[in-house]
Amino acid sequence: MVRAPCCAKMGLNRGPWTLEEDQILTSYIQKYGHSNWRALPKLAGLLRCGKSCRLRWINYLKPEIKRGNFSREEEDAIINLHELLGNKWSAIAAKLPGRTDNEIKNVWHTHLKKRLLKQKKNQGGGNYSPQQFSSVQECSVSATANTSETESTESQSDTALSPQPSSSGSGAVSSVSSDNLIAATASNYVEILPEEEFSVLIDEAFWSAPEEEESGEYSQFDPQINSLDFSVLNPDEGMDGGGGFPRIDEGMDFWYDLFVQAGGIEGL
DNA sequence: AACTGGGTCAACCGCAACAGA
DNA sequence: TTCTGTTGCGGTTGACCCAGT
């Protein structure tokens, strides 16, 4: 498989970073920051493209990066967040300080996906049933005219597991979120529930140790997110929406869209 | 010891979103 | 409003490692 180089400019280094390159990049960023990734390599004297520098910094060199194996709690958090957010790796990473989206993505594909499949087999369904996400898939597919029908069987099985389509249908999520949400049943709730309130509710549901967050520490994630009490959002109990607010286990597309509409993880 | 196949993970690519002119 | 440049994201690749044969 031959790919075009990442940068139009030829003669740039590619592949694994050397210790020297790491040191140059680190010291430059510590001194001058990274206001312009594109210009950075030139200014720092690196034969790399800006994109490569950014990735290296974010995924490896940043001081706050936590190296080493994922704890069971972190893995559970990833699983639960993935169940809620889909392949929003950056959003998931934002909830796991010290972990990068790339790292989480890798862990998901190498460990957790298999673990879930295993669980599913053992439990004859498990908490990642395909039915759970079928509506998301349908929604995404219908909203994505260019979704390929020639995807490999593997990617199809991935899609079956994942609430989101692959990047071959890139843009599907964003194209689905806003318009469809308004058109769908959720419209009232988004208007009724201000972003801030929604954010607080979701955050409180996720994290139970705010004092730890204040100190910058990774808060304990409740692995039993499935049991979260979202009834607090139920329109029958305060909000005049009616019409059966979906439960967490029956309307993941709704929840996902609502989350996106609320500004995603940035809004939380 | 040599080979092989699967697992892991850093890095790359394409694309969409965003910002500024 | 449109165009252009930049950034960020998610999917994918491929080199490396290691256990099994």
Side-chain angles (χ1 to χ4, degrees):
Chain A
M1 182 176 207
V2 180
R3 280 181 170 179
C6 152
C7 287
K9 263 192 176 179
M10 301 305 282
L12 297 177
N13 290 345
R14 300 181 69 224
W17 280 64
T18 63
L19 188 63
E20 196 188 353
E21 286 177 312
D22 281 348
Q23 285 169 349
I24 292 171
L25 181 61
T26 304
S27 62
Y28 182 88
I29 290 176
Q30 280 171 351
K31 242 181 180 175
Y32 306 105
H34 49 75
S35 55
N36 187 339
W37 284 112
R38 203 173 169 84
L40 189 148
K42 210 176 180 181
L43 296 169
L46 285 164
L47 284 170
R48 294 274 181 176
C49 70
K51 233 176 175 180
S52 183
C53 292
R54 179 185 158 271
L55 211 65
R56 183 63 178 171
W57 173 254
I58 287 173
N59 287 332
Y60 203 84
L61 300 175
K62 243 164 99 175
E64 57 262 40
I65 296 293
K66 198 196 286 180
R67 312 299 307 174
N69 294 338
F70 279 65
S71 67
R72 183 75 188 193
E73 286 74 24
E74 285 176 308
E75 289 185 354
D76 288 338
I78 293 168
I79 290 169
N80 289 315
L81 284 165
H82 183 268
E83 194 168 340
L84 184 71
L85 303 173
N87 295 359
K88 289 278 172 192
W89 306 118
S90 59
I92 295 171
K95 284 290 181 188
L96 295 172
R99 299 300 189 181
T100 68
D101 53 354
N102 205 35
E103 208 177 4
I104 290 169
K105 189 167 54 182
N106 282 333
V107 169
W108 172 260
H109 286 302
T110 56
H111 293 112
L112 305 181
K113 205 161 79 173
K114 287 168 196 165
R115 200 170 100 189
L116 279 170
L117 283 171
K118 219 174 177 181
Q119 275 179 15
K120 210 172 102 180
K121 264 186 184 174
N122 292 342
Q123 297 170 7
N127 61 354
Y128 226 94
S129 67
Q131 295 94 323
Q132 205 168 22
F133 296 116
S134 60
S135 55
V136 174
Q137 282 175 252
E138 286 162 16
C139 187
S140 299
V141 168
S142 65
T144 312
N146 64 346
T147 299
S148 171
E149 290 184 7
T150 58
E151 286 181 71
S152 69
T153 49
E154 194 189 348
S155 63
Q156 281 174 348
S157 63
D158 281 352
T159 306
L161 183 67
S162 166
Q164 285 180 237
S166 72
S167 69
S168 59
S170 55
V173 172
S174 53
S175 66
V176 168
S177 59
S178 305
D179 296 340
N180 288 20
L181 184 66
I182 301 302
T185 58
S187 57
N188 293 336
Y189 306 117
V190 174
E191 286 168 13
I192 290 165
L193 194 63
E195 267 189 27
E196 296 85 347
E197 280 183 45
F198 175 83
S199 301
V200 168
L201 286 167
I202 291 293
D203 217 6
E204 282 176 0
F206 275 151
W207 306 97
S208 55
E211 68 280 0
E212 283 180 17
E213 266 191 346
E214 278 173 22
S215 65
E217 289 293 312
Y218 159 53
S219 298
Q220 188 67 42
F221 183 84
D222 179 4
Q224 299 306 315
I225 196 167
N226 276 344
S227 64
L228 288 174
D229 182 13
F230 281 90
S231 63
V232 65
L233 297 174
N234 194 327
D236 295 331
E237 294 176 9
M239 289 186 285
D240 188 23
F245 201 79
R247 283 172 33 180
I248 183 76
D249 59 344
E250 43 181 50
M252 286 307 293
D253 52 341
F254 165 79
W255 285 102
Y256 176 74
D257 282 345
L258 187 57
F259 173 82
V260 171
Q261 183 69 16
I265 204 77
E266 299 303 323
L268 295 185

